[in-house]
Amino acid sequence: MAKPLLKIQRYFRRKPVRFFSLILLYLTAGSLVFLHAGFVGDNGPGARGGRDSLIASEMGSWASSDTRGLGLMSRVFKEKRRSGRRFGPPWMKKTRQEGQGMVGRGRDYTSNWKRALKGRNAKDLDDGRAKYIGCYIDDTQKRALRGVSFFDYKKMTVFRCQDNCAERGYMYAGLEFGAECYCGHKIQAPNVSESECNMECKGEKSNVCGGPNRLSIYRLELSQESARRYGSAIFKGCFHRPDNVTLALPFSAVIQNMSVDKCVDMCTEREKSLAVLAGDRCYCGFPTPLFSLHELEDEGMCLNRCQAEEFESCGNDKYFVVYQTQVQDNRCMDRHFLPTRAKQLVALASFPGAGNTWARHLIELATGFYTGSYYFDGSLYNKGFKGERDHWRSGRTICIKTHESGRKEIEAFDSSVLMIRNPYKALMAEFNRKYGGHIGFASQAHWRGKEWPEFVKNYAPWWASHTLDWLHYGRNVHVVHFEDLKRDLFSKLKGMVEFLGLKVSEDRLLCVEGQKDGNFKRSGLRKLEYDPYTPEMRSNINELIRTVDAALKKRNMSGVPEEYMPR
């Protein structure tokens, strides 16, 4: 034993550099092990009793328990959220035994989902996502669906085609030759026998994707806010002729052989955001109080076939067909920091997934001032949220985004706009953000694995405690429900601007309506093919909804929207 040690000693005497290199590697390895142990320690046991006492206290009396520990989170600058530790109260931390138990339950959910989906194909699915219409003729000279198209001769699937068409606002999606996808608003060809659509999809052998010159067509059940398009233009609807049309829509021209394309192209060249068809006359302009697009008429009032288009309506003298062009309305695009330091700090508070980033987008467009953040997100800064880099106490921003809860954090603000969203939607949105980014999607593996049950177990009670904390500790709270803001953006956003102490510009609000989505909206179609919530999950969430509803009414506020309430 002594001889090998003596050889090693002589070796390092001859090569001292190698000796010091070995020591350095040893110390580096030790440091990494130490750091790893520290991070693992963060996931250790945490107190969960605070959550139950908070919700129980709201159902009985706030004085019966101390909920301060529920929302305490330190101020951090995040580069990228990597784990569930990013937000939430201490009770979100679980013991290793709980985690192992949840893994077992996760496997049960996966097997249930697989059994439920086994044997189903795209034609059988009619779950609010899309409905199969039939097999149709497609002529290369005169397409059945005349919108955008794309091809993928290796990975085409029914869902991929549907999702791409829905994302662009089309009503129909058709698949042809196993690999071609076509979108459109109308089917402009006759249907044929189902046996003529007989080619398997290149990306999924279990489904049919049309055939040679044959389309398997689906009608897309788009969400209410999804846009209908004609090429690059967005269909806004049928509207009554304004009282003073020359003042409301200052530019117009008579077009021979009128078509939607011709009117949209003319208004685009004139750099106007609205193309308005009235028979053979085309008007161009912007939304104004004289022509606000708030009073939508039945589309039947605008029925008047375009001279140059067999399937499109061009309106008439009394009822106008309106399209939004690709021209950007610049009346609400200028944004600045506050000229003087704000005397009060206003929070824009919400549970994660409740639409905080979207609300910031709307507020910045409506007010012309940047919003700030309790955190730092480089991706949002790169998308134009310049207040993201400012310290949240700088006083240069109109309001400050925060997901914090707990007395200390809430009382740091003088007032707050509290965004509340249906927990079933908010939880799914945050799960998608956590595993897919701000406008991305979690993978099927995440939904079907252990991550989703664990997420719901941890985050659902936080949805309730977050709202209860802000209602209890907030000094001046203006509640806005995400769903109400979507339904009635103009009046709800106007109320938010007035709460922030600013003068409301109607022209600016109308400009916001035309650019309400920004870059913060996920596809209107991409939904799961199953309900990810188990009966046990729904039972627990429904009880939380009732608790929040009671808390709002207790403070003389309107309760949660009707669609939240359990059926």
Side-chain angles (χ1 to χ4, degrees):
M1 184 67 184
K3 288 184 178 180
L5 291 176
L6 184 61
K7 290 182 178 179
I8 291 173
Q9 184 180 13
R10 289 175 179 173
Y11 174 80
F12 282 119
R13 281 181 180 177
R14 292 195 301 270
K15 305 289 184 178
V17 174
R18 294 180 182 178
F19 175 73
F20 287 114
S21 298
L22 181 65
I23 294 295
L24 183 61
L25 287 172
Y26 176 79
L27 293 175
T28 302
S31 299
L32 290 173
V33 171
F34 177 77
L35 287 172
H36 176 72
F39 283 121
V40 171
D42 286 344
N43 294 320
R48 295 181 59 194
R51 172 196 63 187
D52 300 326
S53 65
L54 170 71
I55 297 173
S57 68
E58 187 57 38
M59 297 172 70
S61 170
W62 268 95
S64 64
S65 64
D66 181 12
T67 62
R68 182 177 182 181
L70 277 166
L72 297 180
M73 293 179 289
S74 61
R75 167 77 159 104
V76 294
F77 288 90
K78 70 179 181 62
E79 296 177 356
K80 185 173 182 180
R81 302 175 201 167
R82 292 183 294 272
S83 70
R85 296 186 295 111
R86 180 62 189 87
F87 296 117
W91 48 260
M92 287 176 57
K93 302 174 184 176
K94 296 179 292 302
T95 61
R96 184 173 300 174
Q97 289 76 14
E98 289 175 328
Q100 291 171 346
M102 193 55 93
V103 170
R105 288 193 287 273
R107 292 195 189 102
D108 292 339
Y109 295 137
T110 304
S111 61
N112 288 340
W113 283 322
K114 287 180 179 178
R115 285 195 297 270
L117 293 173
K118 187 176 181 180
R120 302 182 74 194
N121 60 37
K123 292 183 180 180
D124 299 326
L125 296 177
D126 184 10
D127 56 358
R129 186 168 68 89
K131 183 176 181 179
Y132 180 71
I133 300 299
C135 184
Y136 287 78
I137 293 174
D138 192 38
D139 187 341
T140 56
Q141 302 300 319
K142 196 174 183 180
R143 291 291 183 187
L145 297 175
R146 301 177 184 175
V148 299
S149 62
F150 74 98
F151 315 124
D152 190 334
Y153 291 96
K154 290 185 177 180
K155 298 181 180 179
M156 178 61 73
T157 66
V158 172
F159 181 79
R160 185 180 177 197
C161 178
Q162 292 172 351
D163 193 49
N164 275 274
C165 292
E167 194 168 7
R168 290 159 177 80
Y170 287 101
M171 300 294 290
Y172 296 96
L175 295 108
E176 180 175 337
F177 206 65
E180 301 173 5
C181 176
Y182 297 89
C183 310
H185 290 306
K186 292 185 178 181
I187 303 173
Q188 303 182 34
N191 64 325
V192 293
S193 171
E194 287 298 312
S195 62
E196 297 188 33
C197 287
N198 52 20
M199 294 188 68
E200 292 182 334
C201 303
K202 297 296 184 181
E204 51 180 353
K205 300 300 182 183
S206 60
N207 279 322
V208 173
C209 286
N213 295 323
R214 296 295 182 265
L215 278 171
S216 297
I217 296 183
Y218 295 82
R219 186 179 71 239
L220 307 178
E221 304 295 337
L222 302 178
S223 56
Q224 187 176 7
E225 70 276 10
S226 295
R228 284 170 53 186
R229 293 180 181 266
Y230 185 92
S232 62
I234 300 173
F235 176 74
K236 303 298 289 184
C238 177
F239 299 89
H240 194 278
R241 176 191 178 100
D243 294 334
N244 191 337
V245 67
T246 56
L247 187 61
L249 300 165
F251 182 83
S252 68
V254 174
I255 298 178
Q256 298 297 324
N257 294 321
M258 172 67 84
S259 69
V260 176
D261 276 339
K262 290 179 181 179
C263 186
V264 168
D265 289 345
M266 185 184 81
C267 294
T268 300
E269 290 176 4
R270 297 282 175 176
E271 296 187 349
K272 306 297 183 185
S273 67
L274 294 184
V276 182
L277 293 90
D280 61 352
R281 183 172 289 274
C282 174
Y283 294 91
C284 306
F286 295 100
T288 66
L290 296 175
F291 194 55
S292 63
L293 306 185
H294 288 165
E295 297 179 6
L296 191 66
E297 301 285 350
D298 186 275
E299 287 186 36
M301 305 300 292
C302 285
L303 285 180
N304 179 28
R305 187 176 66 83
C306 297
Q307 294 176 8
E309 297 206 51
E310 184 179 356
F311 296 97
E312 296 299 333
S313 176
C314 280
N316 50 62
D317 290 341
K318 291 185 178 180
Y319 294 93
F320 295 173
V321 175
V322 180
Y323 287 85
Q324 181 178 320
T325 70
Q326 285 190 315
V327 174
Q328 181 172 273
D329 188 346
N330 290 319
R331 293 176 298 170
C332 58
M333 297 309 295
D334 60 302
R335 286 169 289 174
H336 313 280
F337 288 104
L338 293 175
T340 57
R341 182 184 174 91
K343 295 180 180 179
Q344 293 189 332
L345 292 177
V346 183
L348 178 61
S350 74
F351 175 79
N356 199 305
T357 301
W358 179 57
R360 290 179 67 186
H361 166 73
L362 297 177
I363 290 171
E364 290 196 359
L365 293 184
T367 65
F369 295 115
Y370 289 121
T371 59
S373 177
Y374 196 79
Y375 320 98
F376 171 71
D377 187 330
S379 65
L380 291 181
Y381 177 84
N382 293 333
K383 286 184 177 181
F385 290 99
K386 299 305 179 186
E388 195 76 15
R389 277 191 175 177
D390 265 36
H391 189 275
W392 65 282
R393 287 186 177 275
S394 71
R396 299 205 307 159
T397 53
I398 193 65
C399 60
I400 299 101
K401 165 187 174 177
T402 179
H403 298 305
E404 304 295 302
S405 56
R407 183 171 184 172
K408 180 180 178 182
E409 285 74 12
I410 293 171
E411 290 183 346
F413 295 95
D414 300 290
S415 58
S416 60
V417 175
L418 176 60
M419 290 278 295
I420 304 175
R421 186 181 186 183
N422 186 327
Y424 288 104
K425 301 291 186 180
L427 289 169
M428 293 179 72
E430 175 58 11
F431 190 73
N432 275 321
R433 186 212 62 79
K434 182 182 174 87
Y435 291 101
H438 280 287
I439 57 174
F441 293 87
S443 68
Q444 291 294 318
H446 288 126
W447 287 106
R448 295 178 178 179
K450 66 179 181 179
E451 292 90 347
W452 171 244
E454 289 181 349
F455 180 87
V456 173
K457 183 178 180 181
N458 293 331
Y459 275 64
W462 183 28
W463 174 85
S465 66
H466 181 278
T467 300
L468 300 181
D469 269 1
W470 280 93
L471 292 176
H472 185 63
Y473 297 119
R475 280 176 260 186
N476 181 19
V477 181
H478 179 72
V479 174
V480 177
H481 293 282
F482 176 88
E483 293 75 14
D484 291 342
L485 185 59
K486 283 175 63 178
R487 270 192 297 266
D488 187 10
L489 187 141
F490 187 89
S491 64
K492 295 300 179 184
L493 184 56
K494 180 179 179 181
M496 293 167 71
V497 174
E498 290 174 342
F499 179 79
L500 294 172
L502 298 175
K503 185 178 179 181
V504 177
S505 166
E506 287 197 18
D507 281 344
R508 196 168 185 112
L509 288 177
L510 290 169
C511 171
V512 176
E513 283 188 312
Q515 302 175 73
K516 61 182 180 181
D517 291 334
N519 297 318
F520 315 103
K521 178 183 174 184
R522 292 183 175 90
S523 164
L525 177 73
R526 186 174 293 184
K527 297 178 182 178
L528 294 175
E529 296 178 354
Y530 50 83
D531 181 1
Y533 293 100
T534 65
E536 181 183 359
M537 291 177 184
R538 286 190 171 276
S539 177
N540 293 332
I541 294 172
N542 289 344
E543 189 60 36
L544 296 171
I545 291 173
R546 295 187 187 97
T547 302
V548 170
D549 183 63
L552 290 167
K553 292 177 178 177
K554 182 179 178 181
R555 289 157 181 80
N556 298 320
M557 300 176 180
S558 59
V560 299
E562 187 175 347
E563 63 251 46
Y564 289 25
M565 298 305 291
R567 293 180 177 86

